[in-house]
Amino acid sequence: MASLSDKERAIRQRLKADFAHYANRCLRIRAKDGSIQPFTLNTAQTYLHSRLEAQREETGKVRALVLKGRQQGISTYVGGRYYHKVSHNKGLRCFILTHEQDATNNLFGMVDRYHQHVPALVRPSTGASNAKELYFNVLESGYAVGTAGAKATGRSQTVQLFHGSEVAFWPNAPTHFAGVVQAIPDLPGTEVILESTANGVGGEFHERWQQAEKGRGDYIAIFIPWFWQAEYRRDVPSGFELDEEEREYQGAYGLDLEQMVWRRNKIAELKDPLLFKQEYPATAAEAFQSTGHDSYIPASLVLKARKNEVAPSGPLVVGYDPAWKGSDRHSMAFRRGRKVIKVESRAKLDTMAGAGWAKQVLDNDKPARMFIDVGGVGAGVYDRLVEMGYGDKVTAINFGSAPLEPQPLDEAGRPKGGYLNRRAEMWGNSKDWLEEPGGVDIPDEDALQADACAPGYKYDSLTRVVLESKEDIRKRGLRSPDEWDAVALTFAEPVVELRIPKRSTSGIY
């Protein structure tokens, strides 16, 4: 190849350094209308790019889980990102693993289209090209693809860049995570991007999403809502009016009527509002809702509180739910009146460390009352705090004990309604709080909403509310709802802040 001019060298340098610039000028995609067009990053792709680049700059590598709706261009972006890297660097190998053969063919076809249309100035020399591999002989870099149906797929690959597509739908997912995903070296410059739409609760993708959402491990959780897609809208027909649920949804996300028309038509097409939430989620918690699962606390109530703003007032009350089992979290919620100020969680604390955290909060934040669940290690935490002299500030709460309020009676004096136990009662109080006409305010966090909407419920023979147990929630593939348990604990008992008036210098109060 002839030597490059200074102008060509500068062009190539910018194309190498700026992916968004490179994609628009060098890559071609097949648009939804079938035409071949320049690859211009959309809103979702731009956001994803910024998150990945921030992680790469901070850690030197990329480890990301991406949860998104249908046809938002995430695979297109990852394919372009990796083609850019493989065609500009020596010795980089990329492997794509999809959930089914058609998807494998489509993704590899997309990469091959990039290669066929890329300008000669930046097209690498090709040594091999077939239906499963694209090899750049001079750079000794390239692409390979596989389908997740075979348990050993990709295990023997030496890979620096890995793209897992529709991971929630992988057959043999645990084997692939233990094999090909673990085979990526933990070195600077390596990248693992695992993207998927949701596939209900449970499974490898959902479990790893929950870990990433709470900041555990190397992976970051990146959520892409459906309404970032410019094409997800329809003309507003004459006489179109929103119902109450639609008005709340529109206000929560700041949507216009064209987007709401599209949403209504898509729900009608899918014939299931819950399926729409899974396929076109507005929040991560919404994506993982199970069809047929009736949450005790409706997602709409939680969402409204996430988007509301209320000033804190009244005494500070802290609910503390120490971990019961090894995988659970120590969670603490801070509430003043109609505002949950914050919710914090920590993992792998023993009894002494759990008591130490509580002591720090009691000393620094000075809550009027801290309610502690004394199931599991919580009893030891509570006892230690009493020994340290905090008995007047902490109250032991047994989730399984009888409700504080006696069961109500019907007109004939027969027991009817109420709650089975203290935990159900506190969750019921928190639900009533969410329904307050003046509105309440909680942290705008998907993880908190996931916990709030996790438990189902039923009624016993006395029509008492029976909240789904933590054990049964785990069996459905969800984590223990520790953070909302902590919020619920703030409603264990009424708390009044006692104010002692100061004596004036004249001796008169």
Side-chain angles (χ1 to χ4, degrees), residues 37-54:
Q37 299 180 2
F39 181 12
T40 301
L41 271 63
N42 63 25
T43 301
Q45 293 162 340
T46 300
Y47 172 74
L48 175 59
H49 182 66
S50 68
R51 290 289 306 275
L52 297 180
E53 287 301 289

Side-chain angles (χ1 to χ4, degrees), residues 56 59-63 85 92 160-161 185 187-191:
R56 184 184 62 81
T59 68
K61 59 189 179 183
V62 167
R63 298 291 186 273
K85 289 182 177 293
L92 279 185
Q160 290 77 40
L161 307 174
L187 296 173
T190 60
E191 299 194 1

Side-chain angles (χ1 to χ4, degrees), residues 279-296:
E279 301 290 289
Y280 301 95
T283 66
E286 196 175 75
F288 288 114
Q289 290 187 78
S290 293
T291 301
H293 172 66
D294 192 8
S295 300
Y296 178 62

Side-chain angles (χ1 to χ4, degrees), residues 22-264:
Y22 166 86
N24 182 252
R25 285 158 179 79
C26 299
L27 300 183
R28 296 294 180 267
I29 61 172
R30 186 180 298 280
K32 291 181 180 180
D33 63 4
S35 62
I36 304 299
Q37 299 180 2
F39 181 12
T40 301
L41 271 63
N42 63 25
T43 301
Q45 293 162 340
T46 300
Y47 172 74
L48 175 59
H49 182 66
S50 68
R51 290 289 306 275
L52 297 180
E53 287 301 289
Q55 186 190 34
R56 184 184 62 81
E57 291 176 8
E58 180 182 352
T59 68
K61 59 189 179 183
V62 167
R63 298 291 186 273
L65 291 164
V66 185
L67 176 63
K68 40 80 173 181
R70 293 290 179 191
Q71 298 183 329
Q72 294 194 270
I74 303 307
S75 292
T76 301
Y77 165 80
V78 179
R81 177 186 180 90
Y82 283 178
Y83 180 83
H84 178 246
K85 289 182 177 293
V86 168
S87 63
H88 281 85
N89 295 278
K90 291 185 176 182
L92 279 185
R93 301 287 290 181
C94 172
F95 188 73
I96 308 172
L97 188 64
T98 74
H99 65 306
E100 58 186 15
Q101 188 60 48
D102 285 347
T104 301
N105 297 340
N106 289 338
L107 287 189
F108 190 76
M110 177 184 65
V111 173
D112 189 57
R113 185 180 304 111
Y114 289 153
H115 188 58
Q116 296 302 323
H117 288 274
V118 75
L121 180 65
V122 290
R123 180 187 293 121
S125 173
T126 306
S129 178
N130 54 51
K132 290 187 176 181
E133 185 177 15
L134 183 61
Y135 180 66
F136 307 139
N137 56 333
V138 175
L139 291 172
E140 297 185 352
S141 296
Y143 262 90
V145 297
T147 305
K151 291 186 177 181
T153 299
R155 180 179 287 272
S156 62
Q157 298 282 336
T158 301
V159 178
Q160 290 77 40
L161 307 174
F162 182 82
H163 174 196
S165 179
E166 292 297 350
V167 177
F169 297 86
W170 279 0
N172 308 310
T175 301
H176 293 306
F177 272 99
V180 60
V181 177
Q182 288 298 316
I184 313 302
D186 188 20
L187 296 173
T190 60
E191 299 194 1
V192 180
I193 301 175
L194 308 173
E195 48 87 3
S196 189
T197 49
N199 186 25
V201 298
E204 289 289 327
F205 183 76
H206 180 237
E207 290 176 11
R208 291 171 187 272
W209 175 268
Q210 291 184 102
Q211 293 172 0
E213 202 174 37
K214 296 309 299 178
R216 297 180 184 174
D218 292 336
Y219 284 82
I220 57 173
I222 303 175
F223 174 71
I224 309 292
W226 70 265
F227 46 79
W228 284 358
Q229 294 305 112
E231 67 272 24
Y232 287 171
R233 58 199 326 118
R234 293 183 61 162
D235 291 339
V236 181
S238 176
F240 178 80
E241 292 185 5
L242 300 177
D243 60 29
E244 183 178 354
E245 182 273 334
E246 289 173 325
R247 286 194 295 273
E248 291 182 356
Y249 191 96
Q250 180 190 38
Y253 302 113
L255 307 184
D256 59 41
L257 284 179
E258 289 183 344
Q259 291 171 306
M260 295 304 297
V261 172
W262 182 90
R263 174 180 181 264
R264 181 185 289 183

